[in-house]
Amino acid sequence: MAITDKIQQILVKTMFSKRKKNKLSYASFRPVLKTAWPSATLNAVSSERGAQQAGVVSVDTVLPSVHIQHAIALPDHVLLMLRDGSLLPSSGQFECLYSPVNSSQLRRLPLSVAALPDGPSLVHCPAGPARVAVSLSLAQSAPVAPLQWDRLVYTALIDSRDNSTVVFAKGMNLRPGRLGVPSRYECVFGRDFSKPKLVVTSPVVSAAQEIFRCVTPVRIRRYLRMTTGGKSSRNNDEKPMLVSIRTKGRGSSTLPSIAQPEPLPRYNRHRRQKAHSMCVCTMLRNQARFIREWIIYHSHIGVQRWFIYDNNSDDGIEEVLSTMDPSMYNVTRHLWPWMKSQEAGFAHCALRARESCEWVGFIDIDEFLHFPGNRTLQDVIRNYSTKPRIGELRTACHSFGPSGRTKIPKKGVTTGYTCRLAAPERHKSIVRPDALNPSLINVVHHFHLKEGMKYVNIGQGMMLINHYKYQVWEVFKDKFSGRVATYVADWQDEENVGSRDRAPGLGTKPVEPKDWPKRFCEVYDTGLKDFVQNTFADPHSGNLPW
């Protein structure tokens, strides 16, 4: 018997008994069972039945219900963002639902689930048919038509220092490293951009790459003060306050938006000293097996705070971070699911770190600060902290190769790779967040500074970076899955093939060259290996703490 038939019989019996008590005849009662999307009871039964058929939950399992806030179609999957407070079981205990027109509903298990205490839960669903609404078997909301990832306002921050809103948007195609013309755009605040009388607009004061800064209207500032932490206490049926970018003039258009303005840490103009002298920002994807070494090493040399921007990892990074004592390692993981947006992510991180960090280093998980001489990180920071016009420290990167290896070194990258190219490749930067240009232009390796601020090149005898760029093929081939930098072509693309962002001579096919283990080896350099073994190795076993 169908589930709906069973429910209808229950309703009939219940109503019959009630009417019998009230001395009403059953003939006068004609029950009608109405189903709408979603019915909490039907949806719970349906999702449990589907999960049982998939063999993933028991009949006694009680599954939570969730509310889908946004859906975004990424190149290879669909991202669902749930309202804050939505709790999810593991990805094997519910399904992604696709609703094609005039077709039966499709069901697929999610690819992964990610959630943090201070933000929305994210569900990564397999890519479905084009122009098809998506939902979850747990959802108590209608299927959502996905927005396109490359034409979207995806996040926004409220900056109380100058009463501005910093908006991060894809789709305007501004040139890298160049300021756009802000008068061509305006910011739009509201719950429904299709109703002009219900929105508030404000001028854009800077536009560059994927970042727009606009004046925060008084009405919006008042609204944010009336909410807790910038988030409204609205009920689940009320639309959230969003911000978007609109082009001005003939043919003006407003970008689709999912960006709820979030307030930055409050500016304290009376604070004389920040909580941390040195912090680090990084963006990563599926680097869980390397992150302990990177954090423990940099903690020892003087880094006090880490901002981890997780770009769709599914390799258990949360479990690895949970093993690290929070009293020793001040690490924050921030979900950043946006494709090709490393520059924007670094700008976002610089703003978040500004109130608590005097200096912030922007380095990757395979890059390690190294001090060949007798200086330390504290020496370098202390020296330039007394020079108020210095806003950025640039340090050279030495690129290490596979060093003859064919398997991942068991004791870590710092001791496993000891042969590098002779000349440094590019540089990375440590910046004062207070010194950054308000446009937040950066090219990953360095930022644009405020007028009057300068950068210095740190000598290689004082500080440099060991960049373990060309590791064993098993690790290096993962880079073919895509590059996070906005303006750097993916490996598969026949574009900028001669760029220094690619491995020389490798081309665009993920095929291991026969001589890969011997490549990129011009100088044997054991400086950091020796330091790590002398500093971290257990004197009895020789084991390293990671």
Side-chain angles (χ1 to χ4, degrees), residues 464-529:
L464 52 83
I465 285 178
N466 277 18
H467 184 187
Y468 299 99
K469 181 177 182 179
Y470 308 116
Q471 299 186 36
V472 297
W473 184 257
E474 176 187 345
V475 174
F476 185 82
K477 71 178 180 181
D478 290 341
K479 294 188 177 183
F480 278 94
S481 63
R483 308 301 295 275
V484 293
T486 308
Y487 302 100
V488 176
D490 287 339
W491 289 97
Q492 302 95 326
D493 296 340
E494 296 285 349
E495 181 181 346
N496 298 329
V497 176
S499 168
R500 284 183 292 175
D501 291 302
R502 297 178 179 271
L506 188 61
T508 59
K509 300 289 188 295
V511 179
E512 180 179 4
K514 293 182 179 179
D515 63 341
W516 182 260
K518 299 179 180 179
R519 287 194 176 193
F520 319 109
C521 183
E522 297 174 349
V523 175
Y524 282 97
D525 182 348
T526 63
L528 188 52
K529 174 184 178 180

Side-chain angles (χ1 to χ4, degrees), residues 129-243:
R131 296 180 294 280
V132 166
V134 184
S135 185
L136 297 174
S137 57
L138 307 176
Q140 288 189 323
S141 51
V144 179
L147 301 170
Q148 294 302 309
W149 72 280
D150 55 355
R151 181 173 168 76
L152 182 70
V153 175
Y154 52 93
T155 193
L157 297 171
I158 301 292
D159 190 347
S160 63
R161 284 196 179 188
D162 58 1
N163 289 323
S164 68
T165 301
V166 183
V167 183
F168 297 81
K170 282 188 171 293
M172 291 303 184
N173 300 319
L174 298 181
R175 299 178 65 183
R178 303 280 186 88
L179 284 170
V181 181
S183 60
R184 295 178 180 174
Y185 313 96
E186 63 182 353
C187 281
V188 185
F189 297 81
R191 292 192 173 93
D192 188 344
F193 298 139
S194 66
K195 299 178 180 178
K197 293 183 179 181
L198 301 181
V199 302
V200 179
T201 62
S202 70
V204 169
V205 295
S206 70
Q209 298 180 171
E210 291 187 4
I211 305 168
F212 298 78
R213 189 185 288 268
C214 59
V215 176
T216 307
V218 174
R219 286 173 58 184
I220 301 301
R221 300 200 323 250
R222 187 182 303 121
Y223 164 80
L224 293 173
R225 283 197 298 268
M226 294 171 60
T227 60
T228 303
K231 296 183 183 295
S232 172
S233 58
R234 63 188 181 275
N235 60 50
N236 286 334
D237 296 325
E238 187 176 351
K239 292 183 178 180
M241 173 68 69
L242 302 176
V243 59

Side-chain angles (χ1 to χ4, degrees), residues 41 113 126 221 305 350 452 474:
T41 304
V113 174
R221 300 200 323 250
R305 178 84 163 84
E474 176 187 345

Side-chain angles (χ1 to χ4, degrees), residues 194-498:
S194 66
K195 299 178 180 178
K197 293 183 179 181
L198 301 181
V199 302
V200 179
T201 62
S202 70
V204 169
V205 295
S206 70
Q209 298 180 171
E210 291 187 4
I211 305 168
F212 298 78
R213 189 185 288 268
C214 59
V215 176
T216 307
V218 174
R219 286 173 58 184
I220 301 301
R221 300 200 323 250
R222 187 182 303 121
Y223 164 80
L224 293 173
R225 283 197 298 268
M226 294 171 60
T227 60
T228 303
K231 296 183 183 295
S232 172
S233 58
R234 63 188 181 275
N235 60 50
N236 286 334
D237 296 325
E238 187 176 351
K239 292 183 178 180
M241 173 68 69
L242 302 176
V243 59
S244 186
I245 300 296
R246 175 187 292 168
T247 56
K248 296 168 68 175
R250 181 178 298 179
S252 66
S253 62
T254 303
L255 283 175
S257 176
I258 62 169
Q260 293 178 245
E262 301 174 27
L264 286 165
R266 194 72 184 175
Y267 174 50
N268 185 349
R269 65 178 67 252
H270 302 295
R271 183 185 293 128
R272 294 185 177 182
Q273 187 173 359
K274 297 188 178 181
H276 311 296
S277 60
M278 179 65 186
C279 305
V280 163
C281 284
T282 196
M283 186 175 292
L284 56 78
R285 182 178 184 274
N286 289 345
Q287 299 290 308
R289 56 187 170 181
F290 303 117
I291 198 167
R292 279 183 59 86
E293 178 183 11
W294 186 77
I295 291 176
I296 292 172
Y297 170 84
H298 283 99
S299 173
H300 178 83
I301 67 169
V303 174
Q304 300 160 313
R305 178 84 163 84
W306 291 262
F307 296 85
I308 309 294
Y309 276 55
D310 185 351
N311 191 227
N312 299 321
S313 295
D314 57 9
D315 63 344
I317 184 175
E318 62 275 14
E319 285 85 1
V320 175
L321 292 177
S322 69
T323 66
M324 308 197 72
D325 186 349
S327 67
M328 296 178 60
Y329 307 105
N330 188 348
V331 181
T332 300
R333 174 171 165 250
H334 183 83
L335 299 180
W336 187 263
W338 316 117
M339 304 287 291
K340 304 291 287 182
S341 60
Q342 188 175 23
E343 297 89 341
F346 279 1
H348 191 275
C349 187
L351 288 173
R352 288 178 61 216
R354 186 181 58 189
E355 295 305 317
S356 60
C357 303
E358 182 179 2
W359 296 89
V360 182
F362 292 85
I363 58 177
D364 294 334
I365 207 78
D366 59 355
E367 296 173 336
F368 289 73
L369 288 166
H370 177 38
F371 302 86
N374 296 322
R375 299 293 184 91
T376 65
L377 177 60
Q378 290 84 355
D379 293 334
V380 175
I381 294 300
R382 192 181 305 114
N383 180 40
Y384 289 103
S385 293
T386 61
K387 301 176 180 179
R389 291 295 181 184
I390 302 300
E392 183 176 49
L393 312 178
R394 296 184 179 181
T395 183
C397 299
H398 281 293
S399 296
F400 281 70
S403 304
R405 292 185 174 273
T406 57
K407 296 183 179 180
I408 297 174
K410 294 181 179 180
K411 291 191 174 183
V413 299
T414 52
T415 60
Y417 300 108
T418 55
C419 199
R420 61 172 173 82
L421 296 175
E425 287 187 319
R426 297 188 182 263
H427 63 265
K428 287 295 177 77
S429 296
I430 299 173
V431 305
R432 269 193 172 114
D434 290 321
L436 301 185
N437 189 289
S439 68
L440 298 173
I441 290 179
N442 70 87
V443 289
V444 177
H445 304 284
H446 61 263
F447 280 78
H448 287 198
L449 302 176
K450 290 179 179 177
E451 187 175 352
M453 301 298 292
K454 300 179 180 179
Y455 69 86
V456 295
N457 291 313
I458 306 297
Q460 295 183 44
M462 180 183 298
M463 180 174 70
L464 52 83
I465 285 178
N466 277 18
H467 184 187
Y468 299 99
K469 181 177 182 179
Y470 308 116
Q471 299 186 36
V472 297
W473 184 257
E474 176 187 345
V475 174
F476 185 82
K477 71 178 180 181
D478 290 341
K479 294 188 177 183
F480 278 94
S481 63
R483 308 301 295 275
V484 293
T486 308
Y487 302 100
V488 176
D490 287 339
W491 289 97
Q492 302 95 326
D493 296 340
E494 296 285 349
E495 181 181 346
N496 298 329
V497 176

